[in-house]
Amino acid sequence: RPSILKAAKLEGTRLVRELDLEVSDSSNTTNDVNRIQTHIRFLNVGDVAGLKASAIKHMAPAPFTSDAESTKLVHIDFYEKDLPWRYTPQLVTNNGNETHLKPWMVLLVGTAKEIQIVGQSATVAKTVLDKHDLNRSYQWAHTQGKEQEEFSRSVSPSKLVPQSEHVAILVPAFDENGNPKWDAPSAGTLEIQIYHSWRF
């Protein structure tokens, strides 16, 4: 997707790319070919209602782990290698020699007191939001593996608190207008939709 988006334009909150197509009529004996230009409008994060459990390959630490290592970062893996960037409502940005594309969803991790889940949404404390600065979210997603075994991974930069119950939630990084879902430092708590969650 990053290579496709290099030729895309931003119209409102949607990325649009123009494509030149050649159309021919197989029933026409003259084999005339017509060239037309069409626009592809990409889906964005506002179109996503949820995430199927079958999209998830692995979670670490595993759900309900009672002795998670506090020196390791929490992460979630997906079978599809482009999933973290698929619905990003922004263009690729360049920073020096690096190319950045922010993921449309991020993994938040906090203690059970900092993240409280009710149904398909969660109340997230300011302390958690401050540890997950969306200006740096491009650093939290990457592909892993080789050739046909490639998959994608989202990582939380938050350090774990020893001897504490933690909650991990996968949430949208953008609102319906294509803006960051929160700013860091955050002004306070946030009510947010969750795509997936687990405890350990």
Side-chain angles (χ1 to χ4, degrees), residues 37-113:
Q37 189 177 72
T38 186
H39 293 75
I40 294 179
R41 294 182 178 273
F42 291 93
L43 296 174
N44 68 16
V45 63
D47 299 310
V48 181
L51 187 71
K52 291 183 178 179
S54 59
I56 297 170
K57 178 181 175 68
H58 177 71
M59 292 166 279
F64 306 113
T65 296
S66 60
D67 57 351
E69 296 182 54
S70 59
T71 57
K72 294 186 177 180
L73 295 179
V74 180
H75 62 270
I76 183 170
D77 297 342
F78 309 100
Y79 285 103
E80 297 178 85
K81 64 181 181 180
D82 71 327
L83 185 57
W85 306 275
R86 186 177 295 169
Y87 305 113
T88 297
Q90 288 186 347
L91 295 171
V92 173
T93 59
N94 294 308
N95 184 3
N97 295 325
E98 296 182 347
T99 299
H100 298 155
L101 182 62
K102 294 180 179 178
W104 63 274
M105 58 180 177
V106 294
L107 184 65
L108 302 184
V109 175
T111 65
K113 291 182 179 180

Side-chain angles (χ1 to χ4, degrees), residues 127-147:
T127 50
V128 174
L129 301 176
D130 288 347
K131 294 174 184 176
H132 297 82
D133 183 352
L134 291 178
N135 290 318
R136 301 178 61 188
S137 64
Y138 64 88
Q139 299 175 334
W140 310 337
H142 61 271
T143 55
Q144 189 97 354
K146 297 180 180 179
E147 299 175 356

Side-chain angles (χ1 to χ4, degrees), residues 124-131 181-190:
V124 183
K126 169 181 168 58
T127 50
V128 174
L129 301 176
D130 288 347
K131 294 174 184 176
K181 197 72 174 177
W182 65 88
D183 296 319
S186 172
T189 60
L190 177 69

Side-chain angles (χ1 to χ4, degrees), residues 5 14-15 17-18 48 58 78 121 134 143-144 150 161 176-177 193:
L5 293 181
R14 295 198 179 271
L15 296 174
R17 181 175 178 181
E18 296 179 354
V48 181
H58 177 71
F78 309 100
S121 64
L134 291 178
T143 55
Q144 189 97 354
E150 281 188 314
V161 180
E176 61 276 7
N177 297 316
Q193 174 190 5

